Amino acid sequence: MNTVRRGSMRVAGLVVVCVLACLALVLIILKFKETPPGPGVSAVPLTGPESRRPSNDPAAPPAAAGGGAKAPARGQAVDRDLEIQVIDAASKQPLAGAELSINMQGGGGGNRKDRTEQQGRAWLMLPPEDPKYLSISAKLEGYVTKRMDWRGEAIPATYVLALEKGTTIGGVVRDESGNPIRGADVGLLFPGDPSGGRSSMYMTEGPFKTDEEGKWRCDVVPADLTNLSLRLSHPNFISDESFGTTPRPADAELRALTAVSVMKRGIVLSGVVLDQGGKPIPGASVAQGADRFGSNNPKIKTDPDGKFAFPNARPGPIVLTVTAKTFAPELKQVSVAKDIPPVEIRLAPGNIVKGKIVDTAGKPVRGAFVAADTWRGNRSLEWRVDTKADGTFLWKEAPADEVLIDMGKQGFQSLRHFKVTPSETEYVITLQPPQKIHGMVVDAEGGAPISSFRVIQGLAWATPGANAAQPQQISWQRDYSSVSGRDGKFEMESTEPYPFRYVRIEAPGYLPAISPGYKPEETDVTFDVKLTKGTGPAGIVKLPDGSAAAGVDVVLTTASTGASMRNGVLDGRMNGNSPMVKTSDEGKFEFVPQVEAFLIVAAGPAGYAEVTQEQFKKSTEIKLLPWGRVEGKLLMGSKPGANQNVTMSLNRPYEEKAPRFWIQYDTNTDKDGNFVFERAPAGDAQVSRQVMSRTTARYTTSISTHTALVTIKGGETAKVQLGGVGRPVIGKITLPKEAAGQGWTLGGGISTKQAEPPLPKGFEDLPEDQQREWWKKYTETPEYKAQMKNTRHYSFQVADDGTFRVDDVVPGKYQLYLNASDTKGQFGEAVAMGSGELTMPEIPGGRSDDPLDAGSFEMKAIKRILVGDMMPELDLVDLDAKPLKLDAFRGKHLLLHVWVASSTDIPTVKELYEAYGKDRLAIVGVSFDRKVEVAKSFVAKNEIKWPQAFAGQKTNLYQVLSLRSFPSYMLIGPDGKVIARDIQLTELKATVAKALGK
């Protein structure tokens, strides 16, 4: 009895202790909530049960979106929680144990991890003001990872992340002989699931290692494999520099785990790094890649003898960037080919660049980053430092020539592409404060503040040429740079400088307002707005059977935004500038009021529709049309074209002022050459095989060939075949002597010879808008459509020995063209051209594997005129067809002004003529207009007094002068040598004055 009593008393004592402990804990928590965080204390406590609201009951249902107590006034110092609910997308059941990765910028945020509790919930305490950026991703075994971003938008009280159960895909990686490759890394990239009308964020999974049999597997990709791409990597084979370099196998093969990816062995690229005296430099870094930002290009160190070797370099042009301590970097472009000899690279001593970064008050900025961006047209130089306490930085290993560098620090505007060259003089560089645009937004009628609105950032670049001070078309950053305004107030802060920045104010029930363009130096801007009431496009989308279409993507595109659909899905990557929403359960949608002509496009699993603004005015009901389907087969000669890229695009004539919308499809053939395009809209489409071509060390392009037309009808399957007909064509290219050892990239094509269009009399004299209208009507005629249906185009690449082969050429008369480009530059320069004709005769039986030898075709080099060269005597005539000789102006500086009638730089050239035309400067204009009458009219209208030549449009002078755009300028010295070329209009007067010693 006493024992029981003592036990009861002991239990009672423990209860009392527990109660007191709990009370103490409550007091501590309350004290914590009342006391603002001091130095070193996080302003945002860890998530978890301690911060839960409105209930600590694990069985309580998740709060409804938008529910709860009335939100406090903006800026009021109160705690706010974001309740995150993770559920199964299909069953809607909560998912416990999902790992949450949270990244918050602003408001004392940072990176952290959390997990959902039994009811699939977690809580995040938010600062009083919404953070500038918040990202939350949810990951759970067996499910597709999902992420949601807020970038300046108002953050809700609750948010549901619905996770899709993962789909399994896989395959095998083999070498060119069919042997399995063990230990290959397979990375996957696929679009995330867009929510609330936002654009998709791309997600990655892997890499997954292949096993002994070369097999790999992933269980957590979305069921929709649209736009999924792979990246393969292995030290003993050519590895992908980026996702999508290796063609992706067909969807069916990926799902069946039988997809075959082939990795090829590369070419050994070896060399040695020496100093100027020929002494080896050990430990030097040798990096491949013309643009190393975000790439997967290889990089190695030289051995004690200064030697290096890349065992599996990709054939074609490659940029090597070499750096070493105490030495200046060197950049060398090589064309990797079989039996390439070792490369020798010599480094000179390093050069010094000194700088100091200050704020607008002249005070030093400590801890600002300084990094190389572009050097010799490439982004391959990896150098970065932070400024010291006195704001200084020192680069002891700079190259001898110009480098564009970037600088920045939080709390300042970044500075991009600042030009530096080695000098004893210290650069003093001023960082501007962030650009802040703020203001009041009120109702134009009553003056009441607008309670809620959206502020969208617009970016524009300077127009090249005469209008350099004017902005180009605005690019609206709808998804990633918008902020929310409340109670009539807004503020947008930007740290990335652009030539012009705009804001666009949008509010439901009001017409949008657009600010003027603000330059980076305008750091504190007030833009007050009075919004006028208006209604935006609102309607309903219905399924083909007439019922409401819920959850369908709807995008509104204009001439200034543009949108696209890729593989039957409205593409978030392009629609970031266009408003995009999802229909409600009743199929309804609504956009903010518009001031531009628009096109509305709706797309969902059941079908597709697009309506113009005029059609929408007549009826706001949009009915989806059933998708069509295209089945095809690719043959290359008599064999199936396995694992080849095939694209499909729908024909859409370009209209400058019309809303812009692109439709593009791409897929890969299976092992039998079969391919399918699902979710295809009705209309005429072009289907082509794509051939990848590395045109420069920095860029790889895709060439379309063997294009076939197909007509798609809703609810039906159209069939198309590429290749497998006709006969192969072989030939040989004779290269000019200038090509020896240059590693030029060679290519060409053959196209059906076209009849001249029936241009109306006086067509050349019509204004451009009337010419475009005529062409638009002509392309709709039966004659033109029949001609296009019978037109064939075949692209080909040229082997190192000058031979080429084109499979499946059908009978007909063809024009052959050839081109060669020097890949040493950033974009590649055309260095040789050639042309010819061939005829494919009728083939007994319709096809043959016996090739037709088209013979030899000659390419001629294009003579480039570079700075320092003697200016050759050009074959010029004046506007009256009389010879015009440049030699006549020897003894004077000569400005060669190349123009067309749309050029707007004449006032600047006139200033130069008035200032120096009677002294030591001669000016000669060269018109490239289509008719001499157009040039004469332009000269008379603008009262141009200096001599003018007419080149027309049927001349190779464009290539000879290496023209990139109109207008263009070349300055020639009194001795006939070129002093400067490709001069920017903004620098023209200064360049001429400097040459004249003014």
Side-chain angles (χ1 to χ4, degrees), residues 267-307:
I267 296 171
V268 176
L269 173 61
S270 62
V272 63
V273 179
L274 309 171
D275 64 15
Q276 293 293 291
K279 183 179 177 181
I281 302 177
S285 171
V286 185
Q288 291 185 30
D291 190 339
R292 294 193 55 82
F293 290 84
S295 71
N296 194 37
N297 288 297
K299 180 166 65 172
I300 56 175
K301 296 276 189 181
T302 56
D303 66 12
D305 297 322
K307 294 181 179 180

mmCIF file of all heavy atoms in Angstrom, residues 267-307:
data_model
loop_
_atom_site.group_PDB
_atom_site.id
_atom_site.type_symbol
_atom_site.label_atom_id
_atom_site.label_comp_id
_atom_site.label_asym_id
_atom_site.label_seq_id
_atom_site.Cartn_x
_atom_site.Cartn_y
_atom_site.Cartn_z
ATOM 1 N N ILE A 267 39.543 12.203 -81.015
ATOM 2 C CA ILE A 267 40.884 12.280 -81.597
ATOM 3 C C ILE A 267 41.833 12.806 -80.535
ATOM 4 O O ILE A 267 41.486 13.703 -79.762
ATOM 5 C CB ILE A 267 40.864 13.208 -82.825
ATOM 6 C CG1 ILE A 267 39.966 12.602 -83.917
ATOM 7 C CG2 ILE A 267 42.267 13.459 -83.349
ATOM 8 C CD1 ILE A 267 39.714 13.534 -85.079
ATOM 9 N N VAL A 268 43.019 12.243 -80.489
ATOM 10 C CA VAL A 268 44.019 12.701 -79.518
ATOM 11 C C VAL A 268 44.511 14.078 -79.942
ATOM 12 O O VAL A 268 45.031 14.262 -81.049
ATOM 13 C CB VAL A 268 45.200 11.726 -79.419
ATOM 14 C CG1 VAL A 268 46.273 12.281 -78.480
ATOM 15 C CG2 VAL A 268 44.724 10.364 -78.938
ATOM 16 N N LEU A 269 44.300 15.064 -79.048
ATOM 17 C CA LEU A 269 44.793 16.417 -79.274
ATOM 18 C C LEU A 269 45.871 16.675 -78.228
ATOM 19 O O LEU A 269 45.577 16.792 -77.035
ATOM 20 C CB LEU A 269 43.664 17.438 -79.139
ATOM 21 C CG LEU A 269 44.070 18.912 -79.195
ATOM 22 C CD1 LEU A 269 44.726 19.251 -80.527
ATOM 23 C CD2 LEU A 269 42.861 19.804 -78.949
ATOM 24 N N SER A 270 47.114 16.735 -78.679
ATOM 25 C CA SER A 270 48.231 16.895 -77.752
ATOM 26 C C SER A 270 48.985 18.173 -78.083
ATOM 27 O O SER A 270 48.788 18.796 -79.126
ATOM 28 C CB SER A 270 49.174 15.693 -77.830
ATOM 29 O OG SER A 270 49.725 15.593 -79.130
ATOM 30 N N GLY A 271 49.847 18.541 -77.167
ATOM 31 C CA GLY A 271 50.638 19.735 -77.401
ATOM 32 C C GLY A 271 51.573 20.011 -76.257
ATOM 33 O O GLY A 271 51.722 19.211 -75.327
ATOM 34 N N VAL A 272 52.202 21.161 -76.328
ATOM 35 C CA VAL A 272 53.155 21.566 -75.313
ATOM 36 C C VAL A 272 53.009 23.061 -75.087
ATOM 37 O O VAL A 272 52.731 23.825 -76.009
ATOM 38 C CB VAL A 272 54.595 21.202 -75.732
ATOM 39 C CG1 VAL A 272 55.004 21.944 -77.001
ATOM 40 C CG2 VAL A 272 55.574 21.487 -74.606
ATOM 41 N N VAL A 273 53.192 23.467 -73.826
ATOM 42 C CA VAL A 273 53.129 24.880 -73.460
ATOM 43 C C VAL A 273 54.532 25.320 -73.065
ATOM 44 O O VAL A 273 55.144 24.728 -72.154
ATOM 45 C CB VAL A 273 52.135 25.122 -72.307
ATOM 46 C CG1 VAL A 273 52.102 26.601 -71.935
ATOM 47 C CG2 VAL A 273 50.745 24.646 -72.701
ATOM 48 N N LEU A 274 55.047 26.344 -73.748
ATOM 49 C CA LEU A 274 56.414 26.823 -73.537
ATOM 50 C C LEU A 274 56.397 28.311 -73.225
ATOM 51 O O LEU A 274 55.431 29.022 -73.540
ATOM 52 C CB LEU A 274 57.259 26.581 -74.801
ATOM 53 C CG LEU A 274 57.243 25.180 -75.404
ATOM 54 C CD1 LEU A 274 57.955 25.187 -76.747
ATOM 55 C CD2 LEU A 274 57.890 24.183 -74.460
ATOM 56 N N ASP A 275 57.495 28.793 -72.620
ATOM 57 C CA ASP A 275 57.644 30.238 -72.488
ATOM 58 C C ASP A 275 58.259 30.795 -73.765
ATOM 59 O O ASP A 275 58.499 30.045 -74.729
ATOM 60 C CB ASP A 275 58.453 30.586 -71.238
ATOM 61 C CG ASP A 275 59.898 30.084 -71.292
ATOM 62 O OD1 ASP A 275 60.374 29.718 -72.390
ATOM 63 O OD2 ASP A 275 60.558 30.062 -70.229
ATOM 64 N N GLN A 276 58.524 32.070 -73.786
ATOM 65 C CA GLN A 276 59.027 32.697 -75.017
ATOM 66 C C GLN A 276 60.416 32.206 -75.398
ATOM 67 O O GLN A 276 60.803 32.259 -76.555
ATOM 68 C CB GLN A 276 59.053 34.219 -74.843
ATOM 69 C CG GLN A 276 57.669 34.839 -74.713
ATOM 70 C CD GLN A 276 56.862 34.710 -75.996
ATOM 71 O OE1 GLN A 276 57.157 35.337 -77.009
ATOM 72 N NE2 GLN A 276 55.827 33.877 -75.964
ATOM 73 N N GLY A 277 61.141 31.680 -74.418
ATOM 74 C CA GLY A 277 62.468 31.147 -74.710
ATOM 75 C C GLY A 277 62.479 29.674 -75.043
ATOM 76 O O GLY A 277 63.537 29.084 -75.234
ATOM 77 N N GLY A 278 61.297 29.046 -75.078
ATOM 78 C CA GLY A 278 61.213 27.637 -75.422
ATOM 79 C C GLY A 278 61.300 26.705 -74.239
ATOM 80 O O GLY A 278 61.393 25.481 -74.420
ATOM 81 N N LYS A 279 61.253 27.235 -73.021
ATOM 82 C CA LYS A 279 61.319 26.407 -71.833
ATOM 83 C C LYS A 279 59.928 25.906 -71.467
ATOM 84 O O LYS A 279 58.973 26.676 -71.466
ATOM 85 C CB LYS A 279 61.907 27.213 -70.674
ATOM 86 C CG LYS A 279 62.093 26.416 -69.398
ATOM 87 C CD LYS A 279 62.703 27.299 -68.311
ATOM 88 C CE LYS A 279 62.832 26.519 -67.007
ATOM 89 N NZ LYS A 279 63.397 27.379 -65.921
ATOM 90 N N PRO A 280 59.775 24.603 -71.138
ATOM 91 C CA PRO A 280 58.451 24.064 -70.806
ATOM 92 C C PRO A 280 57.871 24.738 -69.565
ATOM 93 O O PRO A 280 58.600 25.107 -68.644
ATOM 94 C CB PRO A 280 58.719 22.576 -70.556
ATOM 95 C CG PRO A 280 60.023 22.298 -71.215
ATOM 96 C CD PRO A 280 60.814 23.553 -71.134
ATOM 97 N N ILE A 281 56.538 24.868 -69.550
ATOM 98 C CA ILE A 281 55.827 25.434 -68.404
ATOM 99 C C ILE A 281 54.979 24.328 -67.791
ATOM 100 O O ILE A 281 53.940 23.956 -68.334
ATOM 101 C CB ILE A 281 54.937 26.620 -68.825
ATOM 102 C CG1 ILE A 281 55.772 27.714 -69.492
ATOM 103 C CG2 ILE A 281 54.192 27.183 -67.612
ATOM 104 C CD1 ILE A 281 54.952 28.883 -69.997
ATOM 105 N N PRO A 282 55.392 23.756 -66.661
ATOM 106 C CA PRO A 282 54.571 22.724 -66.014
ATOM 107 C C PRO A 282 53.410 23.364 -65.251
ATOM 108 O O PRO A 282 53.482 24.509 -64.814
ATOM 109 C CB PRO A 282 55.555 22.049 -65.062
ATOM 110 C CG PRO A 282 56.552 23.121 -64.734
ATOM 111 C CD PRO A 282 56.667 23.977 -65.966
ATOM 112 N N GLY A 283 52.337 22.588 -65.089
ATOM 113 C CA GLY A 283 51.200 23.053 -64.297
ATOM 114 C C GLY A 283 50.343 24.099 -64.953
ATOM 115 O O GLY A 283 49.482 24.704 -64.297
ATOM 116 N N ALA A 284 50.562 24.363 -66.239
ATOM 117 C CA ALA A 284 49.700 25.324 -66.947
ATOM 118 C C ALA A 284 48.334 24.697 -67.188
ATOM 119 O O ALA A 284 48.213 23.487 -67.418
ATOM 120 C CB ALA A 284 50.334 25.728 -68.278
ATOM 121 N N SER A 285 47.305 25.505 -67.130
ATOM 122 C CA SER A 285 45.934 25.036 -67.372
ATOM 123 C C SER A 285 45.608 25.181 -68.850
ATOM 124 O O SER A 285 45.772 26.266 -69.429
ATOM 125 C CB SER A 285 44.942 25.840 -66.533
ATOM 126 O OG SER A 285 43.610 25.533 -66.902
ATOM 127 N N VAL A 286 45.146 24.085 -69.452
ATOM 128 C CA VAL A 286 44.726 24.090 -70.856
ATOM 129 C C VAL A 286 43.250 23.706 -70.883
ATOM 130 O O VAL A 286 42.886 22.595 -70.489
ATOM 131 C CB VAL A 286 45.555 23.106 -71.709
ATOM 132 C CG1 VAL A 286 45.172 23.242 -73.179
ATOM 133 C CG2 VAL A 286 47.047 23.354 -71.514
ATOM 134 N N ALA A 287 42.399 24.632 -71.313
ATOM 135 C CA ALA A 287 40.950 24.428 -71.256
ATOM 136 C C ALA A 287 40.344 24.508 -72.648
ATOM 137 O O ALA A 287 40.678 25.397 -73.432
ATOM 138 C CB ALA A 287 40.300 25.474 -70.349
ATOM 139 N N GLN A 288 39.474 23.543 -72.938
ATOM 140 C CA GLN A 288 38.722 23.592 -74.189
ATOM 141 C C GLN A 288 37.476 24.468 -74.017
ATOM 142 O O GLN A 288 36.949 24.591 -72.916
ATOM 143 C CB GLN A 288 38.271 22.196 -74.597
ATOM 144 C CG GLN A 288 39.366 21.249 -75.018
ATOM 145 C CD GLN A 288 38.799 19.934 -75.531
ATOM 146 O OE1 GLN A 288 37.706 19.897 -76.079
ATOM 147 N NE2 GLN A 288 39.530 18.851 -75.339
ATOM 148 N N GLY A 289 37.008 25.025 -75.130
ATOM 149 C CA GLY A 289 35.731 25.722 -75.112
ATOM 150 C C GLY A 289 35.856 27.207 -75.342
ATOM 151 O O GLY A 289 36.636 27.889 -74.668
ATOM 152 N N ALA A 290 35.050 27.706 -76.284
ATOM 153 C CA ALA A 290 35.040 29.139 -76.566
ATOM 154 C C ALA A 290 34.188 29.903 -75.566
ATOM 155 O O ALA A 290 34.340 31.107 -75.407
ATOM 156 C CB ALA A 290 34.526 29.391 -77.986
ATOM 157 N N ASP A 291 33.271 29.206 -74.912
ATOM 158 C CA ASP A 291 32.436 29.816 -73.878
ATOM 159 C C ASP A 291 32.330 28.814 -72.741
ATOM 160 O O ASP A 291 31.586 27.844 -72.820
ATOM 161 C CB ASP A 291 31.057 30.161 -74.435
ATOM 162 C CG ASP A 291 30.239 31.020 -73.483
ATOM 163 O OD1 ASP A 291 30.552 31.015 -72.269
ATOM 164 O OD2 ASP A 291 29.300 31.692 -73.936
ATOM 165 N N ARG A 292 33.087 29.040 -71.677
ATOM 166 C CA ARG A 292 33.168 28.070 -70.593
ATOM 167 C C ARG A 292 32.114 28.302 -69.522
ATOM 168 O O ARG A 292 32.003 27.529 -68.578
ATOM 169 C CB ARG A 292 34.563 28.093 -69.959
ATOM 170 C CG ARG A 292 35.643 27.608 -70.931
ATOM 171 C CD ARG A 292 36.947 27.335 -70.201
ATOM 172 N NE ARG A 292 36.792 26.400 -69.106
ATOM 173 C CZ ARG A 292 36.768 25.076 -69.233
ATOM 174 N NH1 ARG A 292 36.867 24.531 -70.439
ATOM 175 N NH2 ARG A 292 36.628 24.308 -68.173
ATOM 176 N N PHE A 293 31.311 29.358 -69.652
ATOM 177 C CA PHE A 293 30.288 29.630 -68.661
ATOM 178 C C PHE A 293 29.167 28.599 -68.784
ATOM 179 O O PHE A 293 28.470 28.531 -69.792
ATOM 180 C CB PHE A 293 29.734 31.048 -68.840
ATOM 181 C CG PHE A 293 30.715 32.121 -68.459
ATOM 182 C CD1 PHE A 293 31.674 32.569 -69.352
ATOM 183 C CD2 PHE A 293 30.698 32.664 -67.186
ATOM 184 C CE1 PHE A 293 32.583 33.552 -69.005
ATOM 185 C CE2 PHE A 293 31.603 33.649 -66.823
ATOM 186 C CZ PHE A 293 32.545 34.104 -67.734
ATOM 187 N N GLY A 294 28.997 27.795 -67.752
ATOM 188 C CA GLY A 294 27.935 26.801 -67.740
ATOM 189 C C GLY A 294 28.181 25.610 -68.635
ATOM 190 O O GLY A 294 27.274 24.820 -68.886
ATOM 191 N N SER A 295 29.402 25.428 -69.113
ATOM 192 C CA SER A 295 29.682 24.324 -70.031
ATOM 193 C C SER A 295 30.315 23.158 -69.285
ATOM 194 O O SER A 295 30.663 23.257 -68.112
ATOM 195 C CB SER A 295 30.613 24.791 -71.155
ATOM 196 O OG SER A 295 31.916 25.008 -70.643
ATOM 197 N N ASN A 296 30.492 22.066 -70.021
ATOM 198 C CA ASN A 296 31.099 20.861 -69.451
ATOM 199 C C ASN A 296 32.356 20.509 -70.244
ATOM 200 O O ASN A 296 32.680 19.347 -70.433
ATOM 201 C CB ASN A 296 30.082 19.712 -69.503
ATOM 202 C CG ASN A 296 30.496 18.523 -68.644
ATOM 203 O OD1 ASN A 296 31.054 18.699 -67.577
ATOM 204 N ND2 ASN A 296 30.235 17.326 -69.124
ATOM 205 N N ASN A 297 33.075 21.544 -70.717
ATOM 206 C CA ASN A 297 34.244 21.317 -71.552
ATOM 207 C C ASN A 297 35.435 20.840 -70.723
ATOM 208 O O ASN A 297 35.629 21.279 -69.575
ATOM 209 C CB ASN A 297 34.624 22.604 -72.282
ATOM 210 C CG ASN A 297 33.642 22.944 -73.373
ATOM 211 O OD1 ASN A 297 33.496 22.198 -74.337
ATOM 212 N ND2 ASN A 297 32.956 24.064 -73.230
ATOM 213 N N PRO A 298 36.278 19.976 -71.282
ATOM 214 C CA PRO A 298 37.415 19.435 -70.531
ATOM 215 C C PRO A 298 38.489 20.489 -70.243
ATOM 216 O O PRO A 298 38.643 21.467 -70.977
ATOM 217 C CB PRO A 298 37.964 18.347 -71.464
ATOM 218 C CG PRO A 298 36.894 18.084 -72.469
ATOM 219 C CD PRO A 298 36.131 19.357 -72.605
ATOM 220 N N LYS A 299 39.229 20.256 -69.164
ATOM 221 C CA LYS A 299 40.349 21.114 -68.787
ATOM 222 C C LYS A 299 41.400 20.241 -68.119
ATOM 223 O O LYS A 299 41.065 19.392 -67.294
ATOM 224 C CB LYS A 299 39.883 22.222 -67.847
ATOM 225 C CG LYS A 299 40.997 23.166 -67.409
ATOM 226 C CD LYS A 299 40.454 24.439 -66.764
ATOM 227 C CE LYS A 299 39.731 24.177 -65.484
ATOM 228 N NZ LYS A 299 39.369 25.448 -64.780
ATOM 229 N N ILE A 300 42.673 20.424 -68.470
ATOM 230 C CA ILE A 300 43.748 19.618 -67.890
ATOM 231 C C ILE A 300 44.941 20.513 -67.572
ATOM 232 O O ILE A 300 44.982 21.681 -67.968
ATOM 233 C CB ILE A 300 44.189 18.474 -68.837
ATOM 234 C CG1 ILE A 300 44.614 19.047 -70.203
ATOM 235 C CG2 ILE A 300 43.104 17.450 -69.014
ATOM 236 C CD1 ILE A 300 45.177 17.998 -71.138
ATOM 237 N N LYS A 301 45.929 19.917 -66.865
ATOM 238 C CA LYS A 301 47.167 20.615 -66.521
ATOM 239 C C LYS A 301 48.327 20.011 -67.304
ATOM 240 O O LYS A 301 48.347 18.804 -67.593
ATOM 241 C CB LYS A 301 47.454 20.493 -65.022
ATOM 242 C CG LYS A 301 46.429 21.159 -64.127
ATOM 243 C CD LYS A 301 46.717 22.635 -63.972
ATOM 244 C CE LYS A 301 45.812 23.247 -62.897
ATOM 245 N NZ LYS A 301 46.059 24.693 -62.741
ATOM 246 N N THR A 302 49.312 20.830 -67.632
ATOM 247 C CA THR A 302 50.499 20.308 -68.312
ATOM 248 C C THR A 302 51.376 19.542 -67.329
ATOM 249 O O THR A 302 51.392 19.818 -66.123
ATOM 250 C CB THR A 302 51.314 21.448 -68.946
ATOM 251 O OG1 THR A 302 51.643 22.401 -67.931
ATOM 252 C CG2 THR A 302 50.522 22.135 -70.034
ATOM 253 N N ASP A 303 52.115 18.564 -67.842
ATOM 254 C CA ASP A 303 52.997 17.748 -67.014
ATOM 255 C C ASP A 303 54.326 18.468 -66.781
ATOM 256 O O ASP A 303 54.509 19.608 -67.244
ATOM 257 C CB ASP A 303 53.183 16.364 -67.646
ATOM 258 C CG ASP A 303 53.937 16.418 -68.971
ATOM 259 O OD1 ASP A 303 54.521 17.467 -69.300
ATOM 260 O OD2 ASP A 303 53.934 15.395 -69.690
ATOM 261 N N PRO A 304 55.286 17.852 -66.079
ATOM 262 C CA PRO A 304 56.570 18.538 -65.821
ATOM 263 C C PRO A 304 57.307 18.977 -67.081
ATOM 264 O O PRO A 304 58.145 19.886 -67.016
ATOM 265 C CB PRO A 304 57.372 17.489 -65.041
ATOM 266 C CG PRO A 304 56.321 16.679 -64.332
ATOM 267 C CD PRO A 304 55.177 16.592 -65.303
ATOM 268 N N ASP A 305 57.004 18.355 -68.219
ATOM 269 C CA ASP A 305 57.646 18.752 -69.476
ATOM 270 C C ASP A 305 56.801 19.740 -70.263
ATOM 271 O O ASP A 305 57.100 20.020 -71.439
ATOM 272 C CB ASP A 305 57.907 17.507 -70.337
ATOM 273 C CG ASP A 305 58.880 16.545 -69.671
ATOM 274 O OD1 ASP A 305 59.834 17.019 -69.030
ATOM 275 O OD2 ASP A 305 58.655 15.322 -69.773
ATOM 276 N N GLY A 306 55.748 20.259 -69.617
ATOM 277 C CA GLY A 306 54.892 21.232 -70.292
ATOM 278 C C GLY A 306 53.936 20.630 -71.303
ATOM 279 O O GLY A 306 53.281 21.349 -72.051
ATOM 280 N N LYS A 307 53.841 19.298 -71.300
ATOM 281 C CA LYS A 307 53.014 18.644 -72.308
ATOM 282 C C LYS A 307 51.600 18.377 -71.790
ATOM 283 O O LYS A 307 51.382 18.236 -70.586
ATOM 284 C CB LYS A 307 53.659 17.319 -72.741
ATOM 285 C CG LYS A 307 54.988 17.505 -73.463
ATOM 286 C CD LYS A 307 55.578 16.166 -73.892
ATOM 287 C CE LYS A 307 56.897 16.366 -74.627
ATOM 288 N NZ LYS A 307 57.494 15.072 -75.062
#
